Amino acid sequence: MSRVILCAGKRAVRPYVLKTSGVRIFTIEELCYALSRSLDMLDEGMIDREMALFIKNDLGFEDRGKLLEEMVLTKADLKSRLVVIFCTCDYFDRDEITRICNELDELSGMSRIARHKRRADRYMESGQIRRAAAEYRKILADRDSTQLSQAEYGNVLHNVGVSDMRSRLYLQAAEYFREAYERNENIESL
């Protein structure tokens, strides 16, 4: 079952554009949603003074905006900054914020390339095959892809093959599956 959450606060006249995705944000609820969906791509630099000023001036949450601006200036960690934003409205309850904080703890132990893979895997699991394929191809082109184990790299190749197969690029997909099997030795790739 899903729920509908009405945007109860002020709607900004000019949107804030998220650096991670280019998504245009007009309300605090939209900001909370968008940030929670891109945890694996966030760092402290993305929750910056500009966002604090947007919250303070454009959305009308003066105290929260000032607090976030102070946290940016004192170089507070990502989790603390996010909690301030998430507690600005009732979009998330306490359990959801705790779950998000636990996920952030898990992500903080991952390399940048592993976070990209996790994001691509999420796209794949949710059926967003083209977005997943674009992320997987970025991973393959990234010089830091050497941080992945042979099996992980093979799984990335496998998923690019799945994307190509669904796009009816069968010969190209077959090549990805072959190379994936050589690395991950997974019978599914073969």
Side-chain angles (χ1 to χ4, degrees), residues 54-163:
F54 174 75
I55 292 169
K56 181 172 95 176
N57 299 330
D58 296 303
L59 296 181
F61 295 102
E62 191 170 330
D63 292 340
R64 287 293 173 159
K66 284 181 183 177
L67 177 59
L68 186 59
E69 188 175 14
E70 187 178 306
M71 294 177 88
V72 168
L73 293 173
T74 60
K75 301 189 184 319
D77 65 13
L78 177 63
K79 187 178 357 178
S80 300
R81 295 179 194 196
L82 283 173
V83 168
V84 165
I85 295 169
F86 293 157
C87 291
T88 302
C89 65
D90 292 331
Y91 188 80
F92 294 116
D93 63 26
R94 183 183 303 226
D95 291 339
E96 290 168 319
I97 292 173
T98 300
R99 180 194 54 76
I100 290 169
C101 287
N102 290 339
E103 187 173 345
L104 280 170
D105 289 340
E106 183 181 330
L107 288 167
S108 69
M110 299 173 115
S111 68
R112 181 183 57 79
I113 202 79
R115 288 193 311 270
H116 275 286
K117 183 179 178 308
R118 181 179 172 140
R119 182 184 190 99
D121 291 344
R122 281 198 187 153
Y123 285 146
M124 184 65 88
E125 290 166 6
S126 66
Q128 298 178 53
I129 304 302
R130 289 180 190 225
R131 289 182 90 177
E135 286 292 323
Y136 287 128
R137 288 182 200 285
K138 285 181 196 174
I139 292 168
L140 294 175
D142 193 310
R143 62 188 166 109
D144 290 338
S145 65
T146 57
Q147 296 173 359
L148 297 173
S149 69
Q150 283 294 313
E152 289 172 324
Y153 195 88
N155 292 340
V156 169
L157 291 166
H158 174 92
N159 288 338
V160 172
V162 169
S163 169

